[in-house]
Amino acid sequence: FVPAMLFDMLRSPRATPDLLGNVRYMVNGAAPLNLALVEQIKARMPNCQLSNGYGQTEATAWACGISGNVYLDHPAACGWAAPTTKVQLRRDDGSEPDLGEPGELWVSSPMLMNEYVGDPKATAETLQDGWLASGDIATMDANGVFTIVDRKKNMVISGGENIYCAEVERVVG
């Protein structure tokens, strides 16, 4: 689910304690959960193991993940690299940032896209030597846990949908 879906579900009249008490596992993606929502899940679904996944379409939607009590202890984190996936942070000059320093998250995996169809320029900017430049800015802690902190792209994610600021300006303007 994406956070907006969970928010709506918890407000449904059908979301009774009996029904929610049966939920055992949920995976969040597209954006981190609001901390107040995490607290609601813990209170209303005490038997639920919660996970957070990070990815994007270009990388088959799963590059990092975190779950269980580790996720509850770090609810803003997107976790560790998924199996068969390499994840690293890079400064704008390509060098590796220091621990805790933000850098662009790059992904390498056999699941990466081949190209943006009909857009060789965008493909060349995004794919380099088997690595995908995500456009997301992250930090990594001493345990290797990644946390997305910003975006290089002028884009907002709302309800799991990418909204580019230029599109909003075009509609509003």
Side-chain angles (χ1 to χ4, degrees), residues 5 7 16 19-20 22 24 28 39 43 46 66-67 97 102 120 142 160 167:
M5 294 165 65
F7 183 84
T16 63
L19 184 62
L20 293 178
N22 291 320
R24 297 288 182 252
N28 175 59
E39 292 304 316
I66 189 169
S67 66
E167 293 173 8

Side-chain angles (χ1 to χ4, degrees), residues 95-154:
S95 64
E96 184 178 339
D98 296 327
L99 202 61
E101 178 187 350
E104 183 173 8
L105 192 136
W106 287 67
V107 178
S108 181
S109 165
M111 299 177 292
L112 294 183
M113 69 168 189
N114 291 323
E115 65 181 317
Y116 289 114
V117 177
D119 198 343
K121 182 177 182 268
T123 300
E125 291 170 355
T126 303
L127 295 176
Q128 298 174 21
D129 300 319
W131 287 86
L132 179 136
S134 73
D136 290 319
I137 306 299
T139 58
M140 184 180 75
D141 71 13
N143 295 316
V145 175
F146 293 96
T147 301
I148 305 298
V149 296
D150 202 357
R151 241 178 224 98
K152 283 182 88 168
K153 300 172 185 172
N154 205 3

Side-chain angles (χ1 to χ4, degrees), residues 3 7 31 42 44-45 57 60 68 85 111-112 114 126 138 145 168 173:
F7 183 84
K42 289 179 357 185
R44 296 179 67 187
M45 296 180 239
T57 304
T60 320
T85 303
M111 299 177 292
L112 294 183
N114 291 323
T126 303
V145 175
V168 173

